[in-house]
Amino acid sequence: KAGVTQTPRYLIKTRGQQVTLSCSPISGHRSVSWYQQTPGQGLQFLFEYFSETQRNKGNFPGRFSGRQFSNSRSEMNVSTLELGDSALYLCASSLALGRPEAFFGQGTRLTVV
Amino acid sequence: TQLLEQSPQFLSIQEGENLTVYCNSSSVFSSLQWYRQEPGEGPVLLVTVVTGGEVKKLKRLTFQFGDARKDSSLHITAAQPGDTGLYLCAGPDAGNNRKLIWGLGTSLAVNP
């Protein structure tokens, strides 16, 4: 059974640009959550999608957005990149809402220069 | 606001030693999970503890959930270099159990 797949693995972008990250959850999993991980802040919850609808949102500015497709694949977008957006972005999938155990992808390492 | 504090922040030991890392909170959690994250990878779920006082074993790893469900510990016996990684604890937010609250982790290095 394939795990959670995130693409790309690494990205370098310039301040002011926008970026789109992709996540394919484990087959059969319908809930996808996104996290930002930095050394000082740890894992910070961005948002959760289930059945193509955003069900939960963390405390991030509107520059961070996401969506989920009918096949449960998800994308997140960050517009007007700032240096502080440099981080490891992790996607996690779970079977359904209310299941707290999360299965993570390898992440996308975003560097903003 | 629920917080999870992990200690120690860093730990460097020799192969064969035993160690314990802690995950503490002033709040009650319905469950706690432990993950291990290796460099350049996402966290991998190790265990979920649900009942106060529960002890779970995973080979050389022993996980305990405090009686009051406010804390948890992870004990590793005879650590091996393959145990190296960032150990994270996480628990459901009481106000929204679909959202996980995370500790900052304990970074463990096991030297051969």
Side-chain angles (χ1 to χ4, degrees):
Chain A
K1 192 174 183 179
V4 178
T5 303
Q6 290 189 246
T7 57
R9 288 293 308 277
Y10 303 94
L11 266 179
I12 299 175
K13 290 286 189 177
T14 305
R15 270 183 303 174
Q17 287 187 312
Q18 68 92 27
V19 67
T20 299
L21 312 181
S22 179
C23 172
S24 293
I26 293 171
S27 177
H29 284 197
R30 296 173 61 193
S31 173
V32 174
S33 298
W34 288 89
Y35 292 85
Q36 181 194 67
Q37 186 178 30
T38 57
Q41 298 294 319
L43 274 99
Q44 302 284 305
F45 173 76
L46 280 155
F47 27 66
E48 178 188 22
Y49 285 86
F50 182 81
S51 292
E52 302 176 63
T53 302
Q54 188 181 93
R55 303 300 179 116
N56 273 297
K57 190 176 188 307
N59 298 321
F60 278 81
R63 300 185 295 109
F64 292 80
S65 62
R67 59 179 175 168
Q68 186 180 35
F69 302 95
S70 58
N71 61 359
S72 294
R73 190 176 71 85
S74 178
E75 290 181 346
M76 68 163 282
N77 185 80
V78 187
S79 62
T80 319
L81 284 165
E82 301 176 359
L83 294 179
D85 296 334
S86 295
L88 181 67
Y89 289 88
L90 292 161
C91 165
S93 77
S94 58
L95 272 172
L97 288 174
R99 295 291 295 265
E101 294 92 345
F103 297 87
F104 285 85
Q106 292 177 301
T108 294
R109 171 71 65 184
L110 172 64
T111 302
V112 182
V113 298
Chain B
T1 303
Q2 291 175 288
L3 292 174
L4 285 168
E5 296 183 352
Q6 293 191 244
S7 61
Q9 188 177 356
F10 300 98
L11 190 56
S12 180
I13 61 171
Q14 294 301 121
E15 183 175 0
E17 292 184 6
N18 301 332
L19 66 115
T20 302
V21 298
Y22 301 92
C23 174
N24 295 312
S25 176
S26 58
S27 306
V28 174
F29 280 85
S30 58
S31 65
L32 280 178
Q33 298 150 38
W34 285 92
Y35 293 79
R36 179 170 65 217
Q37 184 178 21
E38 299 182 11
E41 303 290 330
V44 174
L45 178 65
L46 296 174
V47 77
T48 301
V49 285
V50 179
T51 307
E54 181 177 9
V55 177
K56 281 192 173 179
K57 294 193 178 214
L58 187 64
K59 296 183 182 178
R60 295 174 293 99
L61 278 61
T62 302
F63 304 85
Q64 186 163 7
F65 200 12
D67 291 340
R69 291 185 288 130
K70 292 183 178 181
D71 54 82
S72 181
S73 64
L74 158 59
H75 181 79
I76 301 179
T77 303
Q80 299 177 359
D83 296 326
T84 293
L86 179 67
Y87 287 82
L88 295 158
C89 67
D93 186 328
N96 181 350
N97 66 6
R98 296 196 299 272
K99 179 182 169 184
L100 284 174
I101 294 171
W102 293 82
L104 291 181
T106 291
S107 181
L108 171 66
V110 182
N111 306 300

